Amino acid sequence: QQQVKQSPQSLIVQKGGISIINCAYENTAFDYFPWYQQFPGKGPALLIAIRPDVSEKKEGRFTISFNKSAKQFSLHIMDSQPGDSATYFCAARRNTGNQFYFGTGTSLTVIP
Amino acid sequence: DGGITQSPKYLFRKEGQNVTLSCEQNLNHDAMYWYRQDPGQGLRLIYYSQIVNDFQKGDIAEGYSVSREKKESFPLTVTSAQKNPTAFYLCASSMLDPAYNEQFFGPGTRLTVL
């Protein structure tokens, strides 16, 4: 059973547009929600993360929106660039055991 | 340079052979993890360890084994019992302190069974 559900599976955005990726979870024991960026053949790298006591976090062009009551969180990439083309994973960490659960990934393509 | 190293980058195995994937970290992290990545399935946890000489099974541990004899090292053995081992394998580490949550990933090992 997928603990973190991610959509869409793939996304194509024009340069300068906004990319939006959504994730949902059920387990209320999750206490940390990171987003990772992965380029082909490389390991994922942390992009931005949020805790459930905050509804929004912004770092540069990247914003996480968090809705605790709906158990949903999303990544917004403003002014999307071709260099943002990568696979993005959302994740959630359980507050005991330090175990992370990942979404299935979104392949983002930004067209010049 | 601090970080996680995985070797080899590419590995080819004949059916019926066991192979061991190396993972080393110099970040002084207590926790280490092994994930398997397949297209369209995201990252699935194989094993994780929070302390030397202790480890726990993840969601897909069957056909895999690990050891944690040193804090810096967490090798993964893919045994012949793993029916479909061709995949991209990722090692990660993190601190146990919940104030420092980031999980760092290595560059991965791509295993292909011939």
Side-chain angles (χ1 to χ4, degrees):
Chain A
Q1 183 184 1
Q2 194 73 30
Q3 297 255 7
V4 179
K5 297 181 180 178
Q6 183 173 347
S7 63
Q9 185 175 1
S10 63
L11 183 60
I12 299 174
V13 174
Q14 292 276 357
K15 178 182 175 182
I18 302 173
S19 304
I20 302 174
I21 304 170
N22 302 298
C23 285
Y25 65 97
E26 289 296 327
N27 193 336
T28 55
F30 291 149
D31 67 348
Y32 173 68
F33 301 87
W35 283 91
Y36 287 86
Q37 180 188 56
Q38 184 181 30
F39 292 104
K42 307 293 185 183
L46 180 68
L47 192 61
I48 187 172
I50 199 168
R51 292 184 181 273
D53 55 348
V54 176
S55 61
E56 185 176 283
K57 182 174 182 181
K58 183 176 181 179
E59 291 183 1
R61 295 185 295 110
F62 302 93
T63 300
I64 299 179
S65 297
F66 188 86
N67 186 330
K68 188 174 180 178
S69 60
K71 301 193 189 75
Q72 295 175 348
F73 58 110
S74 59
L75 175 70
H76 295 236
I77 305 175
M78 311 300 289
D79 188 26
S80 298
Q81 299 296 312
D84 297 330
S85 297
T87 299
Y88 293 81
F89 292 95
C90 61
R93 189 198 69 165
R94 201 168 57 196
N95 57 10
T96 56
N98 220 45
Q99 189 170 342
F100 288 76
Y101 297 87
F102 287 80
T104 51
T106 296
S107 175
L108 171 65
T109 302
V110 180
I111 301 171
Chain B
D1 255 349
I4 302 176
T5 56
Q6 291 186 241
S7 61
K9 187 172 177 66
Y10 299 97
L11 186 57
F12 298 89
R13 188 194 93 174
K14 292 182 180 179
E15 283 191 20
Q17 287 182 335
N18 293 353
V19 290
T20 297
L21 282 58
S22 170
C23 177
E24 303 277 333
Q25 54 98 1
N26 60 4
L27 300 167
N28 200 33
H29 286 168
D30 291 300
M32 296 187 73
Y33 311 77
W34 274 105
Y35 293 93
R36 171 181 169 139
Q37 185 174 23
D38 297 281
Q41 296 198 52
L43 280 67
R44 293 183 291 167
L45 183 64
I46 304 172
Y47 269 99
Y48 65 107
S49 167
Q50 298 187 72
I51 193 170
V52 173
N53 292 323
D54 188 42
F55 46 82
Q56 291 77 41
K57 292 182 179 180
D59 298 323
I60 56 165
E62 185 176 350
Y64 299 98
S65 66
V66 293
S67 63
R68 186 89 185 273
E69 297 177 0
K70 298 187 300 181
K71 185 176 183 178
E72 302 80 18
S73 179
F74 191 41
L76 173 74
T77 296
V78 184
T79 75
S80 57
Q82 169 51 233
K83 297 305 178 189
N84 185 22
T86 294
F88 190 50
Y89 290 88
L90 288 160
C91 179
S93 70
S94 72
M95 296 180 70
L96 287 177
D97 187 338
Y100 301 94
N101 297 289
E102 182 176 356
Q103 197 172 58
F104 291 83
F105 283 86
T109 292
R110 185 165 298 280
L111 172 64
T112 302
V113 173
L114 303 173

